[in-house]
């Protein structure tokens, strides 16, 4: 039962470098999300996707890009990394809608700790 | 827009005692869910309890229960018989609308003292 898998778990970047955080889920969920969590804070939504080929901005999208070419994968790209992007990043997925058997629960990956120096 | 507010940054409780964590929210949606997630030092996000807004009955999961006051937009979490393993950050969250975005509060750090 893999669930939501994120890679890498840890990464150190230099200012101006770029990288991609990978996220894949094996639950056939339509909805996928990227959050960031700064120290001692709650989770802020960066981007989300309601299905393959469809993405939209969340609360804090600046400095990030996403794509959703398949149902399973939802990579998050950081272009020109900045110290302000030092954070823990969580990917999550869920079923669509709030009706029927859908419990509304989001399933989270274990997080990726990114440090930009 | 959805907002979730947790006004208690930190709380402490003695083992075996009961503690209540507060949460208020704001949403224009008619159909929404409310959640409490637990985040232990491992960083893993663990669902504690969920409440459907259309249900009047408060949700209960073993030692965890909620007090859902829809008119007041309040959603508090009660932990009974607190255990050392309950020590964690607790996040209140709201989900609703066409996009089903899950919006989090800033969290309450709960310490269970032996």
């Amino acid at each position: 039962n893999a669930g939501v898998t994120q890679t890498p778990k840890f990464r150190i970047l230099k200012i101006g470098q770029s990288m991609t955080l990978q996220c894949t889920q094996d639950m056939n969920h339509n909805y996928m999300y990227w959050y960031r969590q700064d120290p001692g804070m709650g989770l802020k939504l960066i981007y989300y996707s309601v299905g393959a080929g469809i993405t939209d901005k969340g609360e804090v999208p600046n400095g990030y890009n996403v794509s959703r070419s398949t149902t399973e994968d939802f990579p998050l790209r950081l272009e020109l990394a900045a110290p302000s992007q030092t954070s823990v990043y969580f990917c999550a997925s869920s079923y669509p809608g709030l009706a029927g058997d859908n419990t509304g629960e989001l399933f989270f990956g274990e997080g990726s700790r990114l440090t930009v120096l | 827009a959805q907002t979730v507010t947790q006004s208690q940054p930190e709380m402490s409780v003695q083992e075996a005692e009961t503690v209540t964590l507060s949460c208020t929210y704001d949403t224009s949606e008619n159909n929404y869910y409310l959640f409490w997630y637990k985040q232990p030092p491992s960083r893993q996000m663990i669902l504690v309890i969920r409440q459907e807004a259309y249900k009047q009955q408060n949700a209960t999961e073993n030692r965890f229960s909620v007090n859902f006051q829809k008119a007041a937009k309040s959603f508090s979490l009660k932990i009974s018989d607190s255990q050392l393993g309950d020590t964690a950050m607790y996040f209140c969250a709201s989900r609703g609308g066409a996009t089903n975005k899950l919006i989090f509060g800033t969290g309450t750090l709960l310490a269970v003292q032996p």
Side-chain angles (χ1 to χ4, degrees):
Chain A
N1 297 334
V4 179
T5 303
Q6 293 180 231
T7 56
K9 286 186 170 45
F10 302 92
R11 182 74 186 268
I12 298 175
L13 282 180
K14 294 182 179 179
I15 294 172
Q17 287 185 319
S18 299
M19 77 160 295
T20 299
L21 296 175
Q22 302 291 345
C23 176
T24 187
Q25 52 92 10
D26 62 358
M27 296 173 282
N28 202 32
H29 286 165
N30 293 77
Y31 285 31
M32 295 188 75
Y33 309 81
W34 274 106
Y35 289 88
R36 61 175 285 172
Q37 183 180 25
D38 297 331
M41 301 295 290
L43 279 71
K44 295 286 189 183
L45 183 63
I46 305 171
Y47 271 96
Y48 63 98
S49 169
V50 300
I54 306 171
T55 63
D56 206 348
K57 296 177 181 179
E59 303 167 271
V60 290
N62 292 343
Y64 306 95
N65 279 300
V66 294
S67 60
R68 184 92 182 272
S69 58
T70 67
T71 298
E72 294 78 18
D73 301 306
F74 189 42
L76 176 71
R77 177 116 181 123
L78 281 72
E79 305 280 3
L80 298 175
S84 61
Q85 293 178 305
T86 294
S87 192
V88 178
Y89 292 83
F90 288 93
C91 180
S93 71
S94 76
Y95 291 108
L98 298 177
D101 293 334
N102 177 28
T103 62
E105 177 184 0
L106 266 65
F107 295 82
F108 285 85
E110 295 182 345
S112 299
R113 181 180 295 277
L114 175 66
T115 302
V116 182
L117 301 174
Chain B
Q2 295 170 247
T3 60
V4 178
T5 302
Q6 294 179 252
S7 58
Q8 304 156 313
E10 296 183 20
M11 292 195 71
S12 181
V13 63
Q14 292 295 123
E15 198 174 4
E17 296 293 310
T18 295
V19 63
T20 298
L21 308 183
S22 301
C23 173
T24 58
Y25 64 94
D26 194 13
T27 179
S28 57
E29 302 293 336
N30 291 321
N31 186 22
Y32 57 92
Y33 274 75
L34 298 167
F35 302 85
W36 279 97
Y37 276 87
K38 170 185 177 181
Q39 188 180 42
S42 67
R43 290 201 321 244
Q44 182 67 34
M45 295 294 288
I46 302 167
L47 178 66
V48 175
I49 198 165
R50 72 175 68 82
Q51 173 79 43
E52 296 93 327
Y54 62 87
K55 289 187 177 179
Q56 292 186 338
Q57 186 173 4
N58 289 325
T60 300
E61 288 286 344
N62 300 316
R63 297 183 294 108
F64 299 88
S65 62
V66 298
N67 183 4
F68 175 45
Q69 302 289 327
K70 190 172 184 177
K73 295 185 177 178
S74 170
F75 183 60
S76 60
L77 174 70
K78 186 172 81 170
I79 305 174
S80 303
D81 186 26
S82 296
Q83 301 176 0
L84 296 177
D86 295 333
T87 293
M89 183 74 88
Y90 287 81
F91 293 102
C92 179
S94 159
R95 182 181 183 191
T99 59
N100 287 280
K101 294 183 288 186
L102 187 67
I103 303 299
F104 287 87
T106 52
T108 296
L109 180 60
L110 176 67
V112 180
Q113 307 292 342

